[in-house]
């Protein structure tokens, strides 16, 4: 038994539930009389909804297939070897399920070495090797192709990436070493660091070709046939693949420096994976592949045994699995059909909602407002957004016409909503206004219609309390921008019935949103946590800590933006309103900042000006601030802020606002863009010892989002 086989056999025992990807070898004669060819097809036996992955047994299968073609190549029986995937899927990388179970570094090293030892054989065969990226390729799926001499890509390929840094790993089966040596360090930094840290941005087939990762691009319909004709021409010398000269001088160093700048701006040094990847890319400059592979093995092992990856995998599982089965949601068979949607309001938020319902449900959507001019503006917004989609080729002319015809606006609610199954309001955030709107809607909508509110902080139960049928009112809280942020907080009022709730979840699924069931408690989940977080930052500023110190204190969290930049995005007036709502509910923990009040009263849009391109404290705001004389250090600020957040989450879980800590993390990741590498917030608070200090216990059991003991 070879070393590789032994290594993989040992690793396989740690991955008992692996879905094994087979490597089938078939032979045929190439076109143009180019000779006999061996094609390896990766296929786990399932359809495209269960992609090919590489666990230890899958790597062992590929190793055996390479044994076979190696013998045939050495004997002169074949002129080349190709590797491709099953329909729509090439391969999406390592099987990460087993990684969570790993407890010691030796096994982690074996994972890295096992992949390298199998894949690099594709580069040492006696005949040329070809990768045909026919469908989705990620991580190890991309890397197996990088070890081949030539690559083609399908124009229909929807997703191609090296997402490891996003999860807390490095591309550890050749990606960090081979990619910069193939396309240059700058482009490699874009793929490995920048795309990965931009919410795991994917490349399409055409981009893969334009970057120089693939040597040829063919249409999806006859991709393999065209690839084989091209392969024959390459083998016969009729096509010569020229690759550009790689800049191994200053350009390489500048690319790595740019990568550091990108990593600093995204994670602020708070997560190690990007920096480890950049070290390997920096050292790959001399083209010593084996040294690069060894460095990848070490980085992979260190990161697998670190908590950042465990938090990344925890976050990944929340978004991929928990999000699809919302905790506490009623039986989906109770859901009623929705064939027409009403939207009360025609402002920006209401118009965004109308567009979303229209695009995802493709049913009639009708807007109402207090005057015709507002209604026309709302419908006009939806039409202009559909025209933009048409311009980008996202919809064809027929579909654009159909969607535009489905959206209308009327002044009279009775005319608009008499046959609506689902009516959502997005009017001014004031209880009296919302109660009046719902009373008007209830009078004209059918008895079965769901009445949904997009309130961000008001009580659903109180809103429904004056209605004849309060059981059909449900909170349906979206996050801005509606088209981008996946979270939808679905709020159950005291009298909301199961059928209404089930319908709300069914609609959320069609809208392709991540729905989390939330109890009717002030500000629900995201706004309550963010308001406590921002409130504590505001408190330390009001007490005397300089703005810059308070802002910098939370940088190690690696948040998408600083607290005061976030306040600017939300709008200081809305921030103030939510803090007042929460202060009324919990006066001992939520404060209303006098300084924030002054900023709002002065009509300021935020704390900063951007004259130099960077945020600087607005002198007019600085003049408004009245501060005490208690100046805290960054560390003291961080301790205060994190302590407040840990206390609030502990209280929310005690109150049953959500089912578990996992739902808090899911909400912050999908509704507020909190980093994957933190796993949301609770793993970070556990890891830093804050939850123990504040609440006397961890939020998550050891081994959940951390290395098992």
């Amino acid at each position: 038994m070879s070393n590789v086989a032994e290594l993989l056999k040992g690793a396989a025992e740690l991955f008992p539930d692996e879905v094994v990807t087979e490597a089938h070898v078939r032979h045929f004669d190439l076109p143009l009389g180019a000779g006999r060819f061996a094609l390896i097809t990766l296929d786990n036996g399932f359809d495209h909804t269960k992609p090919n992955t590489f666990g230890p047994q899958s790597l062992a299968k590929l190793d055996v297939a390479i044994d076979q073609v190696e013998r045939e190549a050495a004997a002169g029986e074949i002129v080349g070897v190709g590797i491709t995937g099953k329909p729509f899927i090439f391969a999406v990388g390592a099987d990460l399920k087993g990684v969570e179970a790993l407890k010691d570094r030796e096994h982690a090293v074996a994972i890295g070495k096992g992949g390298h030892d199998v894949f690099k054989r594709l580069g040492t065969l006696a005949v040329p090797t070809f990768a045909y990226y026919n469908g989705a390729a990620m991580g190890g799926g991309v890397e197996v192709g990088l070890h081949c001499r030539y690559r083609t890509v399908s124009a229909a390929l929807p997703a191609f990436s090296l997402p490891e840094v996003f999860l807390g790993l490095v591309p550890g089966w050749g990606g960090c070493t081979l990619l910069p040596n193939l396309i240059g360090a700058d482009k490699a930094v874009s793929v490995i660091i920048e795309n990965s840290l931009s919410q795991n941005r994917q490349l399409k087939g055409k981009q893969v070709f334009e970057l120089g990762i693939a040597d040829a691009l063919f249409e999806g319909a006859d991709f393999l046939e065209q690839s084989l004709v091209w392969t024959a021409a390459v083998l016969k010398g009729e096509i010569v693949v020229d690759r550009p000269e790689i800049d191994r001088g200053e350009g390489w160093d500048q690319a790595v420096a740019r990568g550091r700048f990108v990593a600093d701006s995204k994670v602020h040094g708070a997560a190690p994976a990007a920096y480890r990847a950049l070290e390997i890319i920096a050292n790959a400059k001399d083209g010593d592949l084996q040294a690069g592979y060894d460095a990848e093995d070490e980085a992979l092992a260190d990161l697998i045994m670190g908590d950042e990856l465990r938090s990344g995998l925890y976050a990944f599982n929340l978004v991929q699995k928990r999000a699809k089965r919302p905790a506490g949601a009623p039986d989906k068979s109770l859901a009623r059909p929705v064939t027409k949607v009403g939207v009360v309001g025609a402002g920006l938020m209401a118009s965004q909602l109308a567009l979303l319902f229209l695009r995802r449900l493709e049913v009639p959507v009708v807007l109402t407002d207090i005057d015709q001019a507002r209604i026309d503006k709302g419908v006009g917004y939806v039409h202009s957004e559909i025209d933009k989609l048409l311009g980008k080729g996202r919809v064809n002319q027929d579909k654009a016409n159909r969607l535009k015809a489905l959206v209308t606006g009327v002044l009279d609610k009775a005319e608009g909503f008499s046959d609506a199954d689902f009516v959502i309001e997005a009017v001014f955030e004031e209880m009296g206004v919302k109660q009046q709107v719902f009373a008007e809607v209830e009078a004209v909508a059918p008895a079965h219609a769901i009445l949904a509110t997009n309130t961000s902080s008001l009580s659903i139960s109180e809103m429904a309390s004056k209605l004849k049928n309060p059981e059909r009112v449900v909170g349906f809280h979206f996050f801005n921008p509606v088209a981008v942020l996946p979270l939808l907080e679905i709020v159950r009022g005291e009298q909301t019935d199961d059928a209404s709730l089930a319908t709300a979840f069914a609609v959320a699924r069609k809208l392709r949103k991540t729905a989390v069931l939330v109890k009717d408690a002030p500000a629900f989940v995201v706004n309550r946590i963010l308001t406590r977080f921002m409130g504590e930052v505001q408190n330390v500023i009001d007490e005397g800590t300089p703005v810059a110190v308070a802002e910098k204190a939370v940088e190690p969290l690696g948040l998408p933006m600083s607290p005061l930049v976030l306040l600017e995005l939300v709008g200081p007036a809305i921030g103030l309103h939510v803090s007042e709502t929460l202060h009324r509910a919990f006066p001992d923990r939520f404060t209303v900042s006098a300084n924030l009040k002054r900023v709002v009263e002065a009509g300021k849009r935020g704390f900063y000006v951007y004259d130099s391109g960077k945020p600087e404290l607005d002198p007019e705001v600085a003049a408004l601030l009245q501060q005490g004389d208690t100046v805290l250090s960054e560390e003291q600020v961080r301790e205060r802020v994190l302590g407040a957040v840990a206390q609030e989450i502990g209280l929310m879980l005690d109150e049953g606002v959500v089912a578990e800590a996992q739902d808090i993390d899911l909400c912050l990741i999908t509704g507020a863009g909190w980093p994957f590498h933190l796993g949301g917030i609770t793993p970070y608070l556990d890891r830093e010892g804050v939850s123990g200090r504040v609440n006397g216990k961890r939020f998550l059991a050891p081994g959940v989002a951390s290395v098992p003991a």
Side-chain angles (χ1 to χ4, degrees):
M1 193 187 270
S2 72
N3 262 355
V4 180
E6 276 173 40
L7 202 60
L8 294 173
K9 190 168 183 295
E13 288 162 15
L14 302 167
F15 288 61
D17 302 325
E18 180 184 345
V19 176
V20 179
T21 299
E22 300 284 346
H24 304 289
V25 182
R26 59 191 170 108
H27 299 83
F28 45 80
D29 293 320
L30 283 170
L32 314 176
R36 195 88 179 138
F37 191 75
L39 181 67
I40 299 170
T41 303
L42 303 170
D43 190 349
N44 63 6
F46 292 90
D47 70 8
H48 65 280
T49 58
K50 200 164 213 162
N52 298 327
T53 52
F54 293 118
Q57 295 177 67
S58 306
L59 289 172
K61 296 281 186 186
L62 180 56
D63 199 40
V64 170
I66 296 172
D67 282 343
Q68 181 186 337
V69 297
E70 187 175 55
R71 287 193 301 274
E72 293 165 354
E77 294 166 13
I78 52 174
V79 293
V81 174
I83 184 166
T84 193
K86 65 182 182 181
F88 309 111
I89 301 287
F90 185 77
V92 300
D95 181 347
L96 293 171
K97 287 197 301 290
V99 171
E100 292 169 72
L102 294 180
K103 293 181 184 178
D104 61 57
R105 197 175 186 283
E106 185 190 331
H107 291 137
V109 172
I111 297 294
K113 277 192 67 59
H116 274 130
D117 289 350
V118 175
F119 289 1
K120 71 185 183 190
R121 298 180 67 197
L122 290 166
T124 59
L125 295 179
V127 294
T129 48
F130 298 79
Y132 308 127
Y133 291 123
N134 63 304
M138 293 170 207
V142 168
E143 290 169 302
V144 70
L146 294 178
H147 285 270
C148 296
R149 194 184 302 180
Y150 303 102
R151 284 155 296 281
T152 67
V153 67
S154 164
L157 179 145
F160 182 104
S161 64
L162 288 169
E164 287 83 354
V165 167
F166 177 64
L167 289 171
L169 281 172
V170 297
W173 284 343
C176 289
T177 303
L178 292 170
L179 194 63
N181 277 295
L182 175 68
I183 61 172
D186 196 60
K187 290 177 182 174
V189 162
S190 293
V191 175
I192 294 170
I193 307 295
E194 195 169 15
N195 289 357
S196 202
L197 290 178
S198 301
Q199 292 300 311
N200 192 16
R201 189 190 297 143
Q202 301 291 321
L203 299 168
K204 300 269 195 284
K206 186 163 179 268
Q207 294 167 297
V208 174
F209 171 65
E210 287 167 352
L211 281 166
I213 299 171
D215 303 305
L217 175 76
F218 299 112
E219 287 306 317
D222 57 353
F223 169 70
L224 194 55
E225 291 84 341
Q226 292 297 323
S227 292
L228 293 171
V229 170
W230 182 85
T231 297
V234 168
L235 290 170
K236 292 187 75 173
E238 292 168 12
I239 289 177
V240 176
V241 173
D242 283 322
R243 298 200 178 112
E245 192 71 29
I246 300 296
D247 180 344
R248 296 185 185 279
E250 208 177 308
W252 193 291
D253 301 335
Q254 283 169 350
V256 173
R258 182 176 76 84
R260 286 218 164 83
F261 175 77
V262 170
D264 286 344
S265 67
K266 297 283 189 182
V267 300
H268 308 285
Y275 302 97
R276 290 300 292 268
L278 286 164
E279 276 170 36
I280 301 167
I281 294 169
N283 292 331
K285 184 176 171 179
D286 62 5
D288 182 343
L289 299 185
Q290 190 52 53
Y293 300 157
D294 292 344
E296 287 174 354
D297 288 343
E298 290 302 310
L300 210 54
D302 287 347
L303 292 166
I304 285 174
M305 297 319 293
D307 285 330
E308 184 212 356
L309 169 67
R310 305 308 170 119
S311 293
L313 292 177
Y314 163 81
F316 184 75
N317 287 331
L318 290 181
V319 170
Q320 294 296 318
K321 294 175 185 164
R322 192 177 183 92
K324 293 180 174 59
R325 290 187 289 279
D331 189 317
K332 50 172 90 122
S333 66
L334 297 171
R336 295 190 287 260
V338 172
T339 59
K340 183 177 180 183
V341 172
V343 181
V344 186
L348 183 59
M349 190 67 178
S351 305
Q352 287 184 64
L353 295 179
L355 178 68
L356 180 69
F357 278 92
L358 184 67
R359 285 193 65 198
R360 298 286 183 245
L361 271 59
E362 296 190 23
V363 299
V365 174
V366 60
L367 294 128
T368 68
D369 211 316
I370 53 173
D371 60 54
Q372 193 62 44
R374 288 176 204 234
I375 292 169
D376 293 344
K377 191 178 176 188
V379 173
Y381 168 86
V382 176
H383 282 193
S384 69
E385 289 299 308
I386 293 167
D387 285 336
K388 284 181 198 167
L389 293 170
L390 178 64
K392 289 177 187 164
R394 304 269 291 280
V395 296
N396 60 25
Q397 188 67 58
D398 276 359
K399 183 149 189 191
N401 293 345
R402 197 166 73 248
L403 290 175
K404 283 184 181 179
L406 284 170
V407 64
T408 55
V410 292
L411 267 171
D412 181 9
K413 291 188 181 69
E415 183 190 337
F417 299 156
S418 62
D419 55 350
D421 306 301
F422 191 101
V423 180
I424 185 164
E425 69 74 25
V427 299
F428 187 63
E429 191 75 349
E430 211 280 309
M431 183 58 78
V433 176
K434 290 187 187 280
Q435 285 179 330
Q436 184 192 338
V437 161
F438 272 161
E440 290 169 8
V441 172
E442 188 180 50
V444 297
H448 70 270
I450 303 298
L451 307 185
T453 169
N454 183 46
T455 182
S456 59
S457 61
L458 300 176
S459 165
I460 309 301
S461 306
E462 190 183 337
M463 213 177 288
S465 62
K466 298 184 178 174
L467 298 179
K468 294 188 205 66
N469 300 107
E471 69 279 356
R472 56 184 175 146
V473 176
V474 66
F476 217 60
H477 179 218
F478 289 88
F479 289 79
N480 224 342
V482 169
V484 178
L485 289 173
L487 181 64
L488 184 52
E489 291 178 339
I490 295 187
V491 188
R492 179 173 209 150
E494 282 166 21
Q495 291 183 272
T496 308
D497 64 18
D498 281 354
S500 301
L501 205 57
T503 306
F505 274 98
V507 169
R509 204 163 22 253
K510 284 194 177 147
L511 295 176
R512 298 183 205 164
K513 293 293 180 187
T514 296
V516 175
L517 179 62
V518 180
K519 185 179 163 184
D520 186 16
F524 317 127
V525 177
V526 173
N527 284 346
R528 179 162 163 185
I529 293 170
L530 288 185
T531 304
R532 186 77 199 273
F533 174 79
M534 309 267 282
E536 210 53 49
V537 171
Q538 197 77 55
N539 286 345
V540 299
I541 292 170
D542 292 356
E543 289 163 20
T545 298
V547 169
V549 174
E551 287 266 84
K552 204 163 180 335
V554 294
E555 270 190 4
L557 283 164
L559 298 176
M561 60 191 79
S562 76
L564 293 181
V565 173
L566 175 64
L567 183 67
E568 201 167 295
L569 186 74
V570 170
I574 292 173
L576 180 65
H577 176 72
V578 177
S579 70
E580 287 169 341
T581 303
L582 280 159
H583 175 67
R584 282 195 295 276
F586 310 115
D588 55 328
R589 301 194 310 280
F590 286 85
T591 52
V592 177
S593 164
N595 279 325
L596 180 57
K597 234 177 186 159
R598 288 184 196 99
V599 168
V600 171
E601 282 163 4
K604 302 302 288 184
R605 298 287 303 275
F607 276 61
Y608 292 125
V609 286
Y610 295 85
D611 300 339
S612 65
K614 287 197 302 232
E616 287 169 16
L617 190 61
D618 182 342
E620 291 177 17
V621 169
L624 293 170
L625 297 183
Q626 293 178 18
Q627 292 179 279
D629 50 15
T630 305
V631 179
L632 301 183
S633 67
E634 282 178 31
E635 202 168 314
Q636 289 169 316
V637 172
R638 190 158 56 247
E639 199 170 292
R640 271 265 303 266
V641 171
L642 292 177
V645 170
Q647 182 195 32
E648 203 58 40
I649 293 171
L651 291 165
M652 288 165 72
L653 292 170
D654 291 345
E655 290 167 28
V657 174
V658 288
E660 288 182 289
Q662 280 86 337
D663 294 312
I664 299 267
D665 293 320
L666 183 57
C667 285
L668 285 174
I669 291 164
T670 56
W674 279 42
F676 247 63
H677 67 260
L678 292 186
I681 183 64
T682 69
Y684 182 82
L685 295 171
D686 284 350
R687 195 158 67 234
E688 297 293 308
V690 182
S691 29
R693 171 170 61 81
V694 174
N695 301 327
K697 60 181 182 184
R698 295 169 61 96
F699 288 115
L700 301 167
V704 178
S706 55
V707 179

